[in-house]
Amino acid sequence: MSEEFYKKLMAAVVDGEPEDAEAIAKEALEANLDPLECINKGLVPGIQKVGELFSTGEYYLPELIIGADAMKAALEILEPALVGGQKLDVVGMVILGTVEGDLHEIGKTLVGTMLTANGFKVVDIGANQSVEAFVKAIKEHGADIVGASALLTTTMLQQKKLVEALESAGLKNKVKIMVGGAPVTDRYAQEIGADGYAEDAISAVDIAFRLMDAPV
Ligand code: B1M
C-alpha cells in the first residue's frame, strides 16, 4: 500500500497538482505512513523527475513552478508530522534572498524550493534585502551558503557589496557565496569573488552540492 502512495505523491509533483499532492499527503498520514518515507520515496523522486524534464526541454518554467508548488503543498502537511529524532537529512544551511533595491523574487523562491526539495535547509529572507540583513541572517543561522539573487543590472552591484561585506566581517572563508539572476554571469561571479554561479534553479542545486563538497 505504501508504494502506491509514494507513486501517487510522485505523480502529483510530476504532473504539477498541488491540491492532489496535499490531499494524498493527508491520506498518507491517515493511513499511518511514515512522513519521512513519503518525502524521500515520493516527493523527492518527483521533483528530481521534474528537474530532469526541465533540463531536457520537455518541461518549461510553468511546469517547474507548479511542480515545486505541489512539492511544497505536500511538504507543508508532512513536515510537521515528522517526529522526535526523525528529521530530513540536511545537506547544508542556506540563507537566500534578493538583493537591496530589487523586488524580483520568483526565481529566488524557485531556487529555494529546489534546494529544499534536495535536502538543504533554506532560510529565505525575502526580496529587497540589504547587505546587513544578509550578514545578520548568516550569523544568526550559521549558514554554509549564502545565495543572493539579482534581476536588474543596477542591483547586481549589491552582490559585489555582499562579497565585500562578508570579507570585512571575516565571514568570507566561513560561508560560500552563490549568486544568480538573469543579468548575472559566471564571469561576473568570478570577478566579484563569489564561490559559485548558477544559471537556473536546477543548476543552483548542483552548485550548492559542489559548494558543500557533497555528491550530487
Ligand atoms: Co521586472 N524586470 N522590473 N518585474 N521583470 C525584468 C527583470 C526585465 C528583464 C524586464 C525587461 O525589461 N525585459 C527588466 C530588467 C532590465 C535590466 O536591468 N537588465 C525589469 C525591469 C526594468 C523592472 C522595473 C525597473 C520596471 C519598472 O518599474 N520600470 C521594476 C523594478 C522593480 C524593482 O525590483 N525595484 C520591475 C518590476 C517587476 C515586477 C515587480 C512587476 C515583477 C516581479 C514580481 C515578483 O518577483 N514578485 C517583474 C517581473 C515579473 C519581471 C520579468 C518579466 C520576469 C522575472 C521572473 O520572475 N522570471 C523580467 C523579464 C524576464 O526575466 N523575462 C523582468 C522568472 C524567474 C523564474 O526567472 O528570475 O530569471 P529568473 O530566475 C531564474 C534564474 O535567473 C536563476 O534561477 C531562476 C529559476 O530558473 N536565478 C538564480 C535567479 N536567482 C538566482 C539565485 C541563485 C541562482 C540562480 O543563487 C543564489
Side-chain angles (χ1 to χ4, degrees):
M1 182 187 69
S2 49
E3 291 300 325
E4 210 171 294
F5 271 105
Y6 304 148
K7 272 192 197 151
K8 283 205 274 183
L9 281 169
M10 181 174 173
V13 175
V14 176
D15 298 341
E17 301 284 359
E19 283 172 17
D20 286 359
E22 186 183 326
I24 299 161
K26 282 181 183 160
E27 281 172 34
L29 292 183
E30 278 159 18
N32 285 325
L33 257 71
D34 181 340
L36 191 61
E37 297 276 282
C38 291
I39 294 169
N40 289 336
K41 295 186 176 169
L43 299 180
V44 171
I47 201 74
Q48 283 169 345
K49 182 75 191 163
V50 171
E52 270 170 43
L53 292 168
F54 181 74
S55 300
T56 55
E58 283 162 82
Y59 269 15
Y60 293 95
L61 197 55
E63 284 95 353
L64 191 60
I65 292 174
I66 194 89
D69 281 349
M71 168 111 190
K72 275 200 285 191
L75 273 180
E76 271 169 33
I77 304 297
L78 296 170
E79 271 185 336
L82 296 172
V83 286
Q86 207 190 17
K87 64 186 182 70
L88 293 175
D89 284 341
V90 173
V91 184
M93 147 63 74
V94 183
I95 297 295
L96 187 64
T98 305
V99 297
E100 187 164 21
D102 199 324
L103 301 176
H104 298 87
E105 61 180 354
I106 297 168
K108 175 265 301 164
T109 304
L110 194 55
V111 168
T113 304
M114 291 299 164
L115 287 172
T116 306
N118 282 276
F120 287 84
K121 169 94 183 130
V122 177
V123 174
D124 185 338
I125 61 171
N128 192 20
Q129 292 297 314
S130 66
V131 160
E132 292 75 23
F134 275 98
V135 174
K136 184 167 173 271
I138 291 165
K139 287 183 181 165
E140 210 170 289
H141 296 279
D144 300 300
I145 299 175
V146 57
S149 178
L151 262 285
L152 301 170
T153 40
T154 47
T155 58
M156 283 165 70
L157 299 172
Q158 292 295 325
Q159 294 174 324
K160 183 168 187 272
K161 283 194 180 167
L162 176 62
V163 176
E164 289 164 357
L166 292 174
E167 261 160 11
S168 306
L171 289 169
K172 178 75 171 73
N173 295 325
K174 298 199 175 117
V175 64
K176 302 284 184 190
I177 308 162
M178 174 160 70
V179 293
V184 181
T185 60
D186 198 11
R187 188 169 163 195
Y188 176 72
Q190 286 179 33
E191 269 170 27
I192 65 172
D195 300 293
Y197 157 78
E199 192 179 4
D200 56 35
I202 303 298
S203 46
V205 174
D206 293 344
I207 298 296
F209 273 111
R210 183 169 64 70
L211 294 177
M212 295 298 301
D213 285 330
V216 180

